[in-house]
Amino acid sequence: MSVADLFFSTKGRIGRGKWWAGVIALGVLNTAVTLILFKVLGWNMVSRVVYGAWSLAMLYPAYCVLAKRFQDRDERPILAQIAIAVAAVQVVLTVLALTNPFEPNMLGNAVSIVQGILGLVFLVMLGCLRGTVGDNRFGPDPLPAAPYGTQQPIPTK
C-alpha cells in the first residue's frame, strides 16, 4: 500500500504497524504545523483561520487511516466518524476563539475529555488488538499467512 493510499483512500485494510505509523506521522505533522503557526503568527484571527483550514484538511487523512484499521477488524468505521466529528467541533471552537489550545477553558477541557476517551478506545481496539484473520468483507488480511509448519494465529472472532 502506498503512502497516498494510506492517507487518501478508505478502501482496504491495514494492520497495527501501518496504523501506528500513520497515526504518529499525522500527529507529529499536525503538532509541528500548529506550534509553528501560532509561534510565528501569534494567537489572532488570521492564525486561527489558517489553523482551522489546516486542521480540517488533516481530518480526511486521519479518517482514512482509522477507517482502514476498523475495516481490518471487520467493523464499520462509525467510531472513526464520531472521532472526526468531535475533532471538527474542536477546530471550529478554536477558530471562533471559544477554546484556546494554549489556555484551556471548561469547554475545551470537555472536548478534550471526549477526545481522550475515544483515544483510549482506539489505542486498545486499533493499536493493540489483532484484525480479522484471513479475508473479510473489506479485503484480504494485511498480515502474511504463517509459513507451513509454524503456529497459526488464533482467530479473534
Side-chain angles (χ1 to χ4, degrees), residues 22-106:
V23 167
I24 290 169
L26 289 171
V28 167
L29 180 62
N30 199 42
T31 300
V33 168
T34 300
L35 289 175
I36 291 168
L37 174 69
F38 286 122
K39 185 71 173 171
V40 170
L41 296 179
W43 179 255
N44 57 49
M45 180 56 117
V46 172
S47 65
R48 291 193 315 267
V49 169
V50 172
Y51 162 81
W54 167 259
S55 295
L56 291 175
M58 292 295 289
L59 291 179
Y60 185 71
Y63 175 71
C64 290
V65 171
L66 289 172
K68 283 192 284 289
R69 185 68 185 116
F70 273 108
Q71 290 166 182
D72 183 45
R73 297 199 27 81
D74 203 17
E75 297 176 12
R76 296 200 183 277
I78 186 71
L79 278 179
Q81 294 165 354
I82 292 169
I84 295 301
V86 171
V89 166
Q90 181 270 325
V91 170
V92 170
L93 292 174
T94 301
V95 170
L96 296 175
L98 297 173
T99 62
N100 180 336
F102 305 107
E103 296 177 19
N105 60 20
M106 201 144 130

Side-chain angles (χ1 to χ4, degrees), residues 92-137:
V92 170
L93 292 174
T94 301
V95 170
L96 296 175
L98 297 173
T99 62
N100 180 336
F102 305 107
E103 296 177 19
N105 60 20
M106 201 144 130
L107 181 59
N109 288 340
V111 173
S112 293
I113 288 170
V114 173
Q115 288 177 317
I117 291 168
L118 287 168
L120 287 173
V121 169
F122 290 175
L123 175 71
V124 172
M125 286 181 72
L126 306 180
C128 298
L129 298 177
R130 167 103 166 68
T132 304
V133 176
D135 295 352
N136 71 18
R137 61 190 163 147

Side-chain angles (χ1 to χ4, degrees), residues 142-155:
L143 295 180
Y148 179 75
T150 62
Q151 185 174 358
Q152 296 291 323
I154 299 170

